[in-house]
Amino acid sequence: MSRLKNFARSLTEPRNGASADGRALGLGLSTALTEQRKDAEAQAAVARTLRKDAEGHSIHG
């Protein structure tokens, strides 16, 4: 019975790892790409915040 449940679950759940051109990437590579994406989003958020803070200030006082 558990084989049937596992089979049904495998049909409904996405495969582990990101899919690029039909091939599944390894789970380690998928995790690394996810972390890289998070880092890039955090850097962009910091840049936006600094830009907002700088809008009201000029170098000429």
Side-chain angles (χ1 to χ4, degrees), residues 1-58:
M1 190 66 162
S2 68
R3 283 186 179 181
L4 182 59
K5 284 182 186 178
N6 289 339
F7 177 71
R9 188 177 303 129
S10 72
L11 293 176
T12 58
E13 291 181 357
R15 294 184 342 201
N16 288 337
S19 178
D21 57 351
R23 296 177 288 171
L25 298 175
L27 196 53
L29 180 56
S30 176
T31 302
L33 290 173
T34 301
E35 291 302 316
Q36 181 183 20
R37 204 172 300 119
K38 286 180 188 176
D39 288 345
E41 290 170 1
Q43 289 174 358
V46 169
R48 281 193 303 272
T49 301
L50 292 175
R51 230 177 278 124
K52 282 183 197 175
D53 289 347
E55 284 176 357
H57 302 81
S58 68

